[in-house]
């Protein structure tokens, strides 16, 4: 046992072994000597303790997070500064189990019913926190802890907000994992409840498909992809996903936060309904705006229609056939699909250009015929400049008429 693991933080929490570490902290399993129970102690990194702005905000946010008492939120028991080591610490409820990050690392993906259960519980925790004015700001698989009994709890409330205006962000670092940042967060705007819903939508996408909706090497690349590309639909990647569930997840990933769910409880209801094959209220229009194609009605699946691995039998899909793309262990998915070179915004100009070319061709043919049949005829030409394709076509028709009288 190392010297750190043998010490007692605040004279009360005896560190026993390391549970995990990251850029902001290290988490240890500890024994609360006073209450004789195991807890998780998070020791903040030294560079955070040197930032007075962070320390001040952290203390306030830790107090706010400690007031969140909910079955799907990791409870904070204590926080402070250890006088002996000079380390800031947080004492939290210890969850004996694995994080969703560890589950993804070990399994690659989870069956659809299991993923839906995880997201439903996370939504319940977020909804409770949002109603009490607390926004997570760093929802990701590593902060979703699942116990051995299957209970899911959200961890690390408040830490991201505490670091927002400190020199940590002022020097250009980005809080949280970039892949889970909502577009408004990536642009440097303030994060609201809908930013948490976006991040949870990314987690849902990753749990079900085993991949992220956007693969990017930098924050700049992520922002560009979010604005210019649409991730592959889940029902195109995984056979056990209904079109309605794909719609429900796509709605959480809307670029505009106003187009996402009103709150986390609405998202949970949509995910549940979508997994059962029921239409998601409000999802049709939004997913069409995101590029989702119209689909035929799909019957509600019975419990027996989804197998143990979350796959749906081919005979229960009256819509376009879904192609199972579960990756083999160690295999990588192809990169996310990209939009065609010209987006939907350029299609009206395509149609205008085609109409203009057709009008020019017809005009040329008519004038040519007139010249061929009447060699003595004088051909009159004039310059025609319009931005509107309809006006161009009309002017050309008049020109043809003048030369064929």
């Amino acid at each position: 046992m190392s010297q750190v693991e043998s010490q007692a933080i605040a004279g009360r929490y005896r560190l026993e072994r390391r549970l995990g570490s990251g850029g902001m902290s290290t988490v240890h399993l500890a024994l609360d000597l006073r209450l004789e129970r195991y807890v998780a102690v998070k020791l903040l990194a030294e560079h955070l303790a040197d930032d007075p702005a962070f320390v001040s905000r952290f203390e306030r946010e830790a107090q706010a997070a400690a007031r969140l008492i909910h079955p799907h939120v990791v409870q904070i028991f204590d926080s402070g500064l250890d006088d002996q080591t000079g380390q800031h610490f947080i004492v939290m409820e210890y969850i004996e189990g694995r994080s969703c990050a560890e589950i993804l690392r070990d399994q690659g993906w989870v069956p659809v019913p299991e993923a839906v259960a995880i997201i439903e519980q996370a939504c319940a925790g977020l909804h409770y926190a949002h109603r009490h004015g607390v926004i997570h700001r760093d929802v990701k698989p590593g902060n979703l802890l699942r116990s051995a009994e299957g209970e899911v709890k959200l961890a690390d409330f408040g830490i991201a907000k505490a670091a927002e205006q400190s020199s940590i962000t002022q020097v250009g670092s980005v809080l949280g994992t970039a892949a889970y940042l909502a577009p408004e967060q990536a642009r440097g705007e303030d994060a609201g409840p809908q930013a948490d819903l976006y991040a949870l939508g990314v987690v849902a996408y990753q749990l079900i498909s085993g991949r992220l909706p956007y693969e990017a090497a930098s924050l700049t690349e992520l922002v560009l992809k979010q604005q210019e590309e649409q991730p592959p639909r889940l029902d195109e990647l995984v056979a056990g996903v209904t079109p309605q569930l794909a719609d429900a997840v796509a709605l959480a990933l809307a670029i505009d936060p106003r187009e996402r769910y009103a709150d986390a409880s609405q998202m949970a209801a949509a995910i549940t309904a979508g997994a059962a094959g029921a239409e998601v209220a409000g999802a049709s229009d939004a997913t069409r705006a995101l590029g989702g194609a119209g689909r035929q009605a799909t019957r509600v699946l019975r419990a027996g229609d989804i197998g143990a691995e979350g796959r749906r039998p081919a005979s229960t899909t009256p819509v376009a056939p879904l192609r199972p793309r579960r990756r083999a262990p160690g295999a990588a998915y192809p990169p996310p699909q990209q939009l065609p070179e010209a987006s939907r915004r350029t299609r009206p100009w395509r149609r205008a250009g085609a109409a203009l070319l057709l009008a020019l061709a017809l005009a040329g043919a008519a004038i040519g015929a007139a010249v061929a049949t009447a060699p003595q005829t004088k051909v009159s030409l004039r310059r025609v400049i319009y931005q509107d394709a309809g006006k161009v076509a009309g002017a050309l028709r008049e020109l043809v008429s003048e030369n064929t009288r």
Side-chain angles (χ1 to χ4, degrees), residues 75-86:
Q75 188 174 357
I76 294 179
F77 296 138
D78 192 8
S79 66
L81 174 67
D82 180 42
D83 295 331
Q84 184 175 359
T85 63

Side-chain angles (χ1 to χ4, degrees), residues 196-207:
D196 284 349
L197 301 186
Y198 180 93
L200 190 56
V202 176
V203 174
Y205 192 103
Q206 187 178 14
L207 288 173

Side-chain angles (χ1 to χ4, degrees), residues 38-398:
Y38 281 103
V39 294
V41 174
K42 181 184 290 287
L43 300 178
L44 299 184
E46 293 182 1
H47 72 278
L48 298 179
D50 294 334
D51 188 328
F54 171 80
V55 172
S56 176
R57 293 175 64 88
F58 166 74
E59 291 174 349
R60 295 195 302 270
E61 294 304 323
Q63 292 173 0
R67 291 195 290 268
L68 298 178
I69 302 176
H70 188 270
H72 299 299
V73 174
V74 173
Q75 188 174 357
I76 294 179
F77 296 138
D78 192 8
S79 66
L81 174 67
D82 180 42
D83 295 331
Q84 184 175 359
T85 63
Q87 288 184 296
H88 289 269
F89 65 90
I90 310 173
V91 181
M92 306 173 294
E93 175 185 7
Y94 171 60
I95 307 298
E96 188 173 1
R98 295 187 297 169
S99 71
C100 285
E102 293 171 320
I103 294 172
L104 287 170
R105 180 197 64 196
D106 297 338
Q107 300 177 198
W109 53 272
V110 300
V112 173
E114 185 178 338
V116 169
I118 291 173
I119 299 305
E120 286 175 340
Q121 295 180 69
C123 281
L126 279 179
H127 185 59
Y128 174 83
H130 292 166
R131 286 193 296 111
H132 286 77
V134 179
I135 301 170
H136 194 290
R137 289 176 170 80
D138 194 20
V139 175
K140 58 186 179 182
N143 284 333
L144 269 67
L145 310 181
R146 189 175 66 168
S147 69
E149 293 76 24
E151 187 177 45
V152 176
K153 299 197 176 196
L154 277 160
D156 273 5
F157 275 94
I159 293 181
K161 184 176 181 181
E164 277 180 356
Q165 304 298 324
S166 70
S167 61
I168 302 166
T169 54
Q170 291 170 5
V171 296
S173 63
V174 177
L175 287 170
T177 304
Y180 307 93
L181 287 178
E184 61 269 26
Q185 281 181 290
R187 293 192 299 264
E189 300 173 8
D190 190 27
Q194 274 63 40
D196 284 349
L197 301 186
Y198 180 93
L200 190 56
V202 176
V203 174
Y205 192 103
Q206 187 178 14
L207 288 173
I208 293 172
S209 68
R211 56 163 289 171
L212 291 166
Y214 299 101
E215 301 283 354
S218 67
L219 183 60
T220 301
E221 184 182 357
L222 173 67
V223 173
L224 291 175
K225 287 192 172 187
Q226 287 175 331
Q227 298 294 333
E228 298 177 358
E229 298 181 11
Q230 297 168 7
R233 286 178 55 86
L234 282 175
D235 54 348
E236 296 174 353
L237 296 177
V238 182
V241 174
T242 66
Q244 292 83 359
L245 178 56
D247 286 346
V249 175
L251 193 56
L253 297 177
I255 298 301
D256 190 339
R258 295 170 297 183
E259 294 179 355
R260 298 174 205 148
Y261 296 102
D263 55 46
S265 65
Q266 189 182 80
M267 179 175 173
I271 294 289
T272 303
E279 189 64 37
V280 179
S284 298
D285 294 338
T287 50
R288 275 195 292 271
L290 293 170
R295 287 175 171 76
Q296 303 173 14
T298 304
R299 69 179 179 83
V300 177
L301 295 179
R302 298 185 299 272
D305 290 336
I306 297 180
E309 294 185 359
R311 299 177 184 273
R312 183 175 55 180
S315 60
T316 66
T317 55
V319 294
L322 305 177
R323 293 168 291 173
R325 297 185 187 176
R326 292 291 196 192
R327 64 184 175 92
Y333 274 105
Q337 296 174 344
Q338 296 189 7
L339 288 176
E341 292 183 7
S343 67
R344 290 191 300 275
R345 294 191 298 270
T346 65
R347 289 174 184 167
W349 288 101
R350 285 186 177 180
R351 291 194 292 268
L356 178 58
L357 290 175
L358 178 60
L360 289 173
L362 292 174
I367 295 173
V371 172
T373 57
Q376 303 301 321
T377 302
K378 179 182 179 181
V379 178
S380 64
L381 299 174
R382 68 172 179 267
R383 191 176 185 186
V384 179
I385 302 177
Y386 290 105
Q387 291 184 346
D388 182 81
K391 293 182 179 180
V392 172
L396 288 172
R397 282 195 295 269
E398 294 179 5

